[in-house]
Amino acid sequence: SPGITGDHPAEVELDLSRFPKLPTLMELETMALREAMKRSGGNMSQAAKLLGIHRQTMAKKLARIKI
């Protein structure tokens, strides 16, 4: 995803300079969920693993944001 570098959560650096205001935590989470689903080819279990969360947590988060 543009503006995101690093493969490990501790290494991730976001370039937020293109945003007029900082995104909310909900917006950041939504971006992360969408990116994980994209990288996993839509596989929820793999996406959850990428984010370091349980599959059930992933399902709840996706349902909440209607993905």
Side-chain angles (χ1 to χ4, degrees):
S1 178
I4 301 176
T5 60
D7 294 325
H8 188 275
E11 299 170 2
V12 171
E13 184 177 317
L14 296 174
D15 177 10
L16 299 174
S17 61
R18 64 188 173 120
F19 293 94
K21 65 179 183 81
L22 288 175
T24 65
L25 291 176
M26 180 67 74
E27 291 167 337
L28 288 170
E29 181 178 72
T30 298
M31 287 188 268
L33 292 167
R34 289 182 189 280
E35 183 64 22
M37 289 298 287
K38 180 179 164 186
R39 290 185 186 197
S40 69
N43 183 303
M44 191 186 320
S45 293
Q46 288 180 358
K49 189 176 280 191
L50 286 171
L51 294 172
I53 60 177
H54 289 109
R55 188 194 159 288
Q56 287 180 316
T57 302
M58 183 76 177
K60 288 177 186 176
K61 290 179 180 294
L62 292 175
R64 186 186 72 233
I65 61 171
K66 298 178 175 63
I67 292 183

